[in-house]
């Protein structure tokens, strides 16, 4: 199969597909790593009268995608950055997403998920004191726990704006962790994902921020299951991983270097909580299943081609990676359209999508090549490529 795609030099050239779709497992596989896929939401363009302010969500398609991920053996990180929290999905909608997903999970044997709780219903400019931030966190954590969910404690724009020192972070996190019913996963999200989180943990430099995070974990060890680190820096993740207590899990959020970090160095390895697993779920599932049996070669052979694709999807401006994730969900038939809350599909251009298409094919990520080509041709026509 062939189609015409634009290049970075402005030329349009014919591309010939070479990929072979990954065969889905008959039953959900088991992994030797904890593996969360951060999942996107599906908008409903036929009911969408205010896509920026209050986008309509197709709940049936959104839940169907969660079944797709559970069927491949993944846990789900629900209502996280990949779902466009704070960039199209508001707290009211996030509550419905969390509630629906928790109910849905109970209908699936072995299904598991954890839910993002943050402060995004509190506008950063409206946070006058640390107590305002604490109250906002309490509201969201209480909602997750009241519905039977486990919490991923998301980074807070309001806290980044209000805090004046590392001690302020220790105070806020200490207060929230002292109240949680169960252990939580902390979330270290770099400013490449959200510029409003610059200087998180009280410093723009890595080493002081690392010391603050480790002190929060040490002071609240009984309440911390693990920490997800999303800095897109292999060395920084290893530095954190090497200093964590033995019973605290490091979840890689490094969408540039996840393959090596998950495999590990023979002594330590990272588990996974990744947005890219939404887009490459069949490949990641096959690779993780192989790793679980000690088949390192298959793990590497399957997962390595997904890394260049992930680096393209997560290229700067990184916060718009969600467009590439949903683009692939559309190409692979998980939704009938390529529209997103807040119109985020417009955040990337024709050449970016063409690059993602080629890399997805080369990584064997296009599950239905005929459908993908048909849809890609239709998209390219909207950019004037016929």
């Amino acid at each position: 199969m062939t189609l015409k795609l634009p290049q970075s030099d402005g030329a349009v050239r014919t591309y010939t597909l070479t990929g072979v779709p990954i065969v889905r497992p008959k039953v959900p596989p088991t992994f030797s790593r904890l593996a969360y896929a951060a999942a996107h939401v599906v908008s409903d363009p036929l009911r969408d009268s205010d896509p920026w302010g209050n986008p309509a969500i197709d709940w049936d398609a959104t839940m169907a995608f969660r079944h797709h991920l559970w069927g491949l053996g993944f846990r789900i990180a629900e209502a996280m950055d990949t779902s466009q929290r704070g960039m199209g999905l508001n707290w009211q909608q996030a509550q419905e997403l969390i509630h629906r997903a928790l109910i849905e999970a109970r209908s699936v044997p072995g299904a598991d998920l954890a839910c993002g709780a943050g402060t995004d219903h509190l506008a950063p400019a409206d946070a006058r004191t640390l107590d305002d931030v604490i109250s906002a966190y309490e509201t969201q954590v209480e909602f997750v726990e009241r519905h039977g969910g486990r919490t991923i404690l998301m980074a807070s724009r309001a806290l980044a704006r209000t805090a004046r020192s590392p001690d302020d972070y220790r105070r806020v996190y200490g207060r929230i962790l002292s109240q949680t019913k169960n252990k939580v996963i902390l979330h270290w999200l770099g400013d490449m994902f959200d510029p409003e989180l610059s200087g998180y943990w009280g410093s723009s430099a890595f080493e002081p921020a690392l010391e603050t995070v480790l002190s929060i974990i040490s002071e609240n060890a009984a309440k911390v299951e693990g920490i997800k680190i999303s800095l897109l820096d292999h060395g920084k993740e290893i530095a954190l991983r090497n200093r964590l207590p033995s019973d605290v899990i490091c979840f890689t959020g490094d969408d540039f270097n996840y393959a090596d970090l998950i495999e590990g160095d023979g002594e330590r390895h990272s588990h996974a909580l990744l947005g890219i697993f939404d887009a490459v779920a069949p490949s990641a599932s096959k690779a993780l299943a192989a790793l679980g049996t000690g088949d390192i070669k298959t793990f590497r052979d399957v997962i390595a081609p997904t890394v260049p694709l992930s680096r393209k999807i997560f290229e700067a401006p990184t916060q718009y990676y969600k467009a590439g994730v949903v683009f692939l969900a559309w190409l692979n038939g998980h939704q009938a359209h390529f529209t997103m809350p807040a119109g985020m599909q417009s955040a990337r251009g024709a050449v970016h999508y063409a690059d993602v298409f080629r890399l997805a094919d080369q990584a064997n990520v296009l599950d239905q090549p005929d459908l993908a080509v048909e849809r890609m041709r239709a998209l390219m026509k909207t950019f004037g490529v016929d």
Side-chain angles (χ1 to χ4, degrees):
M1 288 181 289
T2 63
L3 73 166
K4 293 180 179 179
L5 296 175
Q7 313 283 322
S8 58
D9 61 3
V12 175
R13 297 188 177 90
T14 298
Y15 177 75
T16 301
L17 278 72
T18 61
V20 178
I22 299 291
V23 177
R24 289 179 61 96
K26 293 181 180 180
V27 296
T30 57
F31 306 144
S32 58
R33 307 288 190 264
L34 299 180
Y36 286 89
H40 74 281
V41 297
V42 182
S43 67
D44 186 346
L46 302 184
R47 293 192 303 112
D48 218 343
S49 60
D50 184 10
W52 281 18
N54 189 33
I57 305 299
D58 183 337
W59 294 114
D60 289 342
T62 296
M63 291 301 111
F65 192 78
R66 274 107 184 109
H67 282 272
H68 160 69
L69 294 173
W70 283 321
L72 291 167
F74 291 103
R75 303 180 180 204
I76 291 175
E78 190 57 274
M80 298 293 292
D81 187 57
T82 305
S83 72
Q84 296 180 239
R85 283 289 290 272
M87 295 186 69
L89 191 79
N90 59 38
W91 170 234
Q92 181 178 357
Q93 293 164 323
Q95 290 177 81
E96 185 166 0
L97 175 60
I98 290 167
H99 189 202
R100 285 175 177 267
L102 287 168
I103 292 173
E104 203 74 21
R106 296 183 191 114
S107 71
V108 180
D112 198 0
L113 75 162
C115 306
T119 66
D120 48 312
H121 64 289
L122 173 66
D126 291 338
R128 306 297 183 186
T129 67
L130 294 179
D131 285 338
D132 292 337
V133 178
I134 290 169
S135 178
Y137 265 130
E138 289 173 338
T139 294
Q140 296 203 10
V141 172
E142 188 276 333
F143 179 86
V144 171
E145 293 184 340
R146 175 160 42 89
H147 288 86
R150 293 181 296 107
T151 301
I152 302 171
L153 206 59
M154 300 174 69
S156 165
R157 292 174 178 172
L159 180 55
R161 181 185 177 95
T162 307
R164 295 292 177 264
S165 70
D167 284 340
D168 289 344
Y169 285 88
R170 281 188 277 267
R171 175 186 166 190
V172 171
Y173 277 85
R175 177 79 68 84
I176 300 303
L177 290 169
S178 71
Q179 300 175 21
T180 58
K181 292 180 181 178
N182 303 304
K183 288 188 174 184
V184 309
I185 298 173
L186 303 182
H187 192 193
W188 187 347
L189 192 67
D191 58 7
M192 69 288 293
F193 285 92
D194 186 344
E196 291 189 52
L197 298 178
S198 179
Y200 211 75
W201 308 119
S203 177
S204 296
F206 173 70
E207 289 297 335
L210 176 63
E211 295 300 328
T212 301
V213 169
L214 290 170
S215 69
I216 290 171
I217 293 172
S218 176
E219 292 163 10
N220 303 276
K223 290 295 186 71
V224 179
E225 176 186 355
I227 179 169
K228 168 185 169 165
I229 178 169
S230 299
L231 299 182
L232 303 184
D233 187 308
H234 186 276
K236 290 176 180 176
E237 179 168 324
I238 291 174
L240 170 66
R241 190 173 77 187
N242 286 346
R243 294 185 60 188
L244 287 175
S246 60
D247 59 346
V248 175
I249 299 167
C250 182
F251 291 94
T252 185
D254 188 338
D255 299 277
F256 283 4
N257 304 293
Y258 53 91
D260 291 342
L261 291 163
I262 292 170
E263 180 178 339
D265 58 14
E267 295 184 5
R268 291 176 179 261
H269 59 260
S270 296
H271 297 265
L273 199 165
L274 288 162
I276 192 58
F277 279 1
D278 178 300
V280 302
S283 294
S285 174
K286 181 176 179 179
L288 288 167
L291 183 64
T293 65
D295 185 354
I296 303 299
K297 182 180 186 305
T298 296
F299 170 78
R300 293 173 179 171
D301 288 348
V302 174
I303 206 164
T306 70
V307 174
L309 168 63
S310 187
R311 290 180 176 179
K312 170 55 63 173
I313 290 173
F314 284 79
E315 71 181 357
T318 301
Q319 65 265 35
Y320 299 129
Y321 77 86
K322 296 94 168 173
V325 167
V326 175
F327 171 62
L328 287 175
W330 173 61
L331 291 182
N332 284 327
H334 294 294
Q335 53 193 79
H337 56 83
F338 182 35
T339 61
M340 300 174 65
M344 192 178 284
Q345 70 275 5
S346 66
R348 301 293 200 187
V351 173
H352 176 86
Y353 289 127
D355 287 343
V356 169
F357 183 93
R358 283 185 287 262
L359 289 167
D361 172 56
Q362 293 158 20
N364 303 314
V365 168
L366 298 180
D367 297 336
Q368 303 178 62
D370 290 341
L371 177 64
V373 168
E374 175 188 337
R375 291 184 167 183
M376 190 62 176
R377 284 176 178 156
L379 179 65
M380 288 297 102
K381 283 184 180 180
T382 69
F383 289 110
V385 178
D386 193 347

